[in-house]
Amino acid sequence: MVHSTEALEVGAQVSAHLDDTYLEQVDTRVIAVGEKDGTPWVAVEHCLFHPQGGGQPADRGWLEDTEIIPVRDRESGLVVATVPEGGSLPSLAEGQTVRARIDLGARTAHAALHTAGHLVEAVGRMQGWEMVASNHFPGQARIEFQALRTDTRLADPEGREEVTAVLRAAVVAAVADDLPVFARRLADGRRVVHLDELHSAPCGGTHVRSLGDLAEVALPTLKVKKGRIRVSYSATHVSCTEAHVSCNGTHSPYAAPHVPHPHVPGTETRRSH
């Protein structure tokens, strides 16, 4: 779980997906319904769904028993639930109570990859590099850097393997130390995610509770192309490894259709932007 010292406010919507990465299901209320370009959408107060963005895939989610696609509405800032082309949402009205849930296996897989990306950035910065791009999608995860000064180790295969080994060792050490992962809100509203004192960065993604939740973090030998240092990586969540299951968001055993969860009170005061 990433703990926020203050939730962000976007109208009446609470970013529950940022307050608790591991929250699988919630009863909430509809705060808006509408249609855009012929596609219906609905917004709920306690938003459990992470939309695609920041290099992270969208959650797989449901309202009642209807699978939805979460999308960030640029005009309102709300995360709204839509459906694939030709699909339909359940008949919902403002103020109505509705059950929202996510595929927790997919969520924890995405959170593990995103957190591992921050860790790779951290160990890259230890080498005097600056991050210029990132991608946290399964099978595509990578951090791209630029060296702030000439690094002769990057000029040949042996040197690149040598520096990759240094990165791997730093990653293994941080995971073994089980550094806590948490979020803080700055005065200007930005959400900053911290890997304890090792690293911090503005981020709107979902993350694991601590680095000990990461498993099978692997870094192939880095590549250098057009002046950029590309560090590809992979990672899973420890729960997937322990259960010997695939947490890739497809037919996940974590996506049980009806998991009891306490009702979230309508008097919740923590809000999201």
Side-chain angles (χ1 to χ4, degrees):
M1 181 188 306
V2 173
H3 299 280
S4 299
T5 57
E6 181 182 359
L8 290 172
E9 182 168 346
V10 178
Q13 192 170 62
V14 178
S15 293
H17 59 289
L18 297 183
D19 288 338
D20 187 350
T21 292
Y22 297 85
L23 181 60
E24 183 176 9
Q25 182 169 288
V26 68
D27 290 336
T28 184
R29 67 184 181 92
V30 175
I31 56 173
V33 295
E35 184 177 291
K36 187 172 184 178
D37 300 327
T39 300
W41 59 263
V42 60
V44 296
E45 182 179 20
H46 293 83
C47 181
L48 205 57
F49 314 118
H50 187 286
Q52 180 172 318
Q56 180 173 327
D59 281 330
R60 185 182 182 205
W62 292 262
L63 285 176
E64 298 298 342
D65 291 325
T66 300
E67 187 166 0
I68 60 88
I69 301 171
V71 177
R72 174 78 66 183
D73 180 72
R74 295 187 180 277
E75 293 182 6
S76 66
L78 294 170
V79 176
V80 301
T82 64
V83 289
E85 185 176 355
S88 61
L89 287 168
S91 180
L92 298 170
E94 290 186 30
Q96 181 177 342
T97 298
V98 64
R99 176 158 294 182
R101 62 187 176 90
I102 58 164
D103 180 335
L104 189 57
R107 160 66 66 77
T108 53
H110 298 164
L113 279 171
H114 203 145
T115 306
H118 283 290
L119 179 53
V120 171
E121 180 187 356
V123 299
R125 286 185 178 275
M126 292 177 185
Q127 305 303 309
W129 307 339
E130 183 176 49
M131 188 185 78
V132 293
S134 62
N135 185 329
H136 310 296
F137 274 63
Q140 305 173 35
R142 63 185 182 275
I143 306 295
E144 295 186 8
F145 300 93
Q146 285 183 337
L148 300 181
R149 57 184 181 275
T150 302
D151 190 333
T152 57
R153 298 173 299 174
L154 304 177
D156 57 73
E158 292 77 12
R160 290 192 288 274
E161 175 56 34
E162 175 190 339
V163 72
T164 304
V166 172
L167 299 178
R168 290 175 186 139
V171 165
V172 168
V175 172
D177 287 342
D178 195 16
L179 299 180
V181 180
F182 56 92
R184 290 196 175 114
R185 189 70 56 188
L186 300 183
D188 61 7
R190 286 183 300 163
R191 177 177 182 260
V192 177
V193 170
H194 298 254
L195 310 183
D196 199 25
E197 297 181 357
L198 176 66
H199 179 69
S200 64
C203 184
T206 62
H207 297 279
V208 300
R209 300 181 182 95
S210 65
L211 296 186
D213 281 347
L214 300 180
E216 300 177 344
V217 183
L219 279 65
T221 302
L222 64 81
K223 298 180 180 179
V224 179
K225 186 175 182 180
K226 296 182 179 178
R228 286 195 173 189
I229 305 161
R230 174 177 290 190
V231 181
S232 298
Y233 71 93
S234 60
T236 61
H237 192 279
V238 66
S239 62
C240 303
T241 304
E242 291 172 349
H244 303 290
V245 298
S246 174
C247 295
N248 59 12
T250 304
H251 304 300
S252 170
Y254 290 91
H258 297 290
V259 179
H261 193 280
H263 174 71
V264 174
T267 56
E268 173 69 61
T269 57
R270 292 182 301 168
R271 306 285 182 184
S272 293
H273 282 305

